Amino acid sequence: SPVVGAWDRTRLEQVVTNLLSNAARYAPSAKVRVSATIAGSDAILNVSDDGPGIAPENQVHIFDRFVQASPRAQAGGFGLGLWIVREIAEAHGGSVSVASKPGLGASFEVRLPRGAI
């Protein structure tokens, strides 16, 4: 069923685009899965891939501005995509997190309050 909420549509599109762009850049031949679910009063967007994963020491910094956690990023970008995702999620009263192990892919979860709908 649809996941409905009171969000800035343009910014939410930017979140999805940035997460998919990162998956394409860091895991170009991997499967990418996108899902949206409801958990209580929150909507959860999950973008995960079967790519190379992210080293634990890099996970704490990937949402910072101008950070690129992998040499694969040298193909382009300024290290702003995940920072923008975090800024948009937080501006909506939500959050973003990553779960990853090297060699086992990465999963990004954006949690947003659904607001008055």
Side-chain angles (χ1 to χ4, degrees):
S1 62
V3 176
V4 180
W7 308 298
D8 179 326
R9 180 184 180 131
T10 301
R11 296 296 163 240
L12 194 55
E13 288 174 358
Q14 192 172 12
V15 165
V16 173
T17 298
N18 286 1
L19 291 173
L20 291 174
S21 294
N22 270 13
R25 178 177 294 133
Y26 289 99
S29 60
K31 289 183 181 179
V32 177
R33 291 168 301 285
V34 179
S35 67
T37 58
I38 296 172
S41 63
D42 291 341
I44 299 174
L45 169 68
N46 186 279
V47 176
S48 59
D49 65 62
D50 294 333
I54 304 165
E57 63 271 15
N58 292 334
Q59 291 179 30
V60 296
H61 300 291
I62 61 172
F63 297 106
D64 295 342
R65 193 180 334 185
F66 303 120
V67 170
Q68 293 182 334
S70 166
R72 289 184 187 268
Q74 300 308 316
F78 293 101
L80 292 173
L82 292 177
W83 175 76
I84 291 169
V85 168
R86 186 189 75 196
E87 292 294 307
I88 292 170
E90 290 178 356
H92 282 82
S95 62
V96 62
S97 61
V98 64
S100 181
K101 291 185 181 179
L104 298 177
S107 179
F108 290 86
E109 179 182 284
V110 179
R111 182 175 285 263
L112 300 173
R114 293 173 58 217
I117 49 176

